[in-house]
Amino acid sequence: MKQRLITGFIAGAVFLGLCFIGGLWYHFLIVAMALVGFYEFARMTATAPFGGAAALGYAGVAALVFPWEGFGIAFTLPWEQVIWLLLFLLLLVTVTTKNSVDIRRVSLLLLGAVYIGIGFSYIAESRSAPDGNGLFWTFLLLVSIWASDAGAYFVGKWIGKHKLWPAISPNKTIEGAVGGVIIAVFTSLVFAFLSSGLLPAGQAALIGLSCAVIGQLGDLVQSAYKRVYDIKDSGQLLPGHGGILDRCDSWIIVFPFVHIINLLPY
């Protein structure tokens, strides 16, 4: 527990500090987190994390997350074209290696690059929101996700009796999940109250609901694929906490979701 607390404090201080500063420092942190996340994904799926096929995955993640505009580079390819080019190059790997790297392997790498690259790209995009309130939107989503996680954990410990999905995550309960939703919605409403009219209460409630429901689904998604590979943590970067994907499993699902359905009012 001591190690967990120390790691959480240091990692949290670095992340929140750079998030507050914003700009390229924060964006580069997100790029680094995305690349480490892809490393964890490749390693977890028994793919050589520094092999040629994996290198294409890193390149795809970097292309999706890198702050091109911050360096005055007009990166004109939309994300769907980046994904198609990555798909094409990975398929070529199956040919050039004569199937020593086969379609199943490159399919996993493509899935990981899209899952991680798009997820972290939206995390970075939220901080640089065009309305100038990127810090508010980022904190709104993060704190609502954290509130949902904390609520689900403590309510589940307190009154949890009915298992939510024991085949995937045996410790989660229905009571905990409902508690997480209630606390996340309450948290987002507090943000709305403090926003001086920037965030309407109804929209805040929808954002809190999304952070809780979609965030818990993101957690279950990672539990499901970790169970396939019979591992507890995606990595050991954060002692006591696991890897980047363990800490960000909800983030990389929630951030794209709220943007895609236009929940953030900017």
Side-chain angles (χ1 to χ4, degrees), residues 123-134:
I123 295 172
E125 181 181 323
S126 297
R127 181 61 182 87
S128 57
D131 68 348
N133 295 303

Side-chain angles (χ1 to χ4, degrees), residues 62-135:
L64 290 167
V65 187
F66 191 81
W68 302 101
E69 293 181 359
F71 290 89
I73 300 173
F75 189 78
T76 57
L77 290 180
W79 62 265
E80 62 268 22
Q81 294 182 16
V82 172
I83 292 171
W84 187 88
L85 286 172
L86 177 59
L87 178 149
F88 176 61
L89 291 173
L90 285 171
L91 288 174
L92 284 183
V93 167
T94 67
V95 176
T96 58
T97 64
K98 300 178 181 178
N99 270 337
S100 63
V101 179
D102 62 21
I103 188 67
R104 291 165 292 189
R105 184 66 53 203
V106 299
S107 297
L108 284 171
L109 291 173
L110 178 65
L111 174 67
V114 173
Y115 168 58
I116 294 163
I118 291 181
F120 279 102
S121 71
Y122 276 110
I123 295 172
E125 181 181 323
S126 297
R127 181 61 182 87
S128 57
D131 68 348
N133 295 303
L135 184 63

Side-chain angles (χ1 to χ4, degrees), residues 37-230:
F38 185 78
Y39 166 82
E40 293 174 355
F41 187 90
R43 190 168 176 270
M44 177 176 55
T45 56
T47 301
F50 300 114
L56 290 174
Y58 290 115
V61 170
L64 290 167
V65 187
F66 191 81
W68 302 101
E69 293 181 359
F71 290 89
I73 300 173
F75 189 78
T76 57
L77 290 180
W79 62 265
E80 62 268 22
Q81 294 182 16
V82 172
I83 292 171
W84 187 88
L85 286 172
L86 177 59
L87 178 149
F88 176 61
L89 291 173
L90 285 171
L91 288 174
L92 284 183
V93 167
T94 67
V95 176
T96 58
T97 64
K98 300 178 181 178
N99 270 337
S100 63
V101 179
D102 62 21
I103 188 67
R104 291 165 292 189
R105 184 66 53 203
V106 299
S107 297
L108 284 171
L109 291 173
L110 178 65
L111 174 67
V114 173
Y115 168 58
I116 294 163
I118 291 181
F120 279 102
S121 71
Y122 276 110
I123 295 172
E125 181 181 323
S126 297
R127 181 61 182 87
S128 57
D131 68 348
N133 295 303
L135 184 63
F136 176 85
W137 302 123
T138 300
F139 271 39
L140 165 65
L141 296 178
L142 289 176
V143 175
S144 296
I145 292 169
W146 292 334
S148 172
D149 290 344
Y153 177 80
F154 287 110
V155 173
K157 285 287 187 182
W158 178 34
I159 58 172
K161 294 181 180 179
H162 302 88
K163 297 298 183 181
L164 178 65
W165 210 315
I168 296 299
S169 187
N171 294 324
K172 289 182 172 58
T173 64
I174 294 174
E175 294 85 355
V178 173
V181 169
I182 293 171
I183 294 174
V185 171
F186 174 79
T187 300
S188 63
L189 288 172
V190 171
F191 271 84
F193 177 76
L194 298 174
S195 72
S196 300
L198 178 64
L199 177 63
Q203 198 152 9
L206 289 174
I207 290 171
L209 181 65
S210 297
C211 287
V213 175
I214 303 304
Q216 291 183 46
L217 288 174
D219 190 349
L220 287 170
V221 164
Q222 186 169 164
S223 295
Y225 67 67
K226 286 195 296 187
R227 187 165 289 273
V228 169
Y229 293 101
D230 194 26

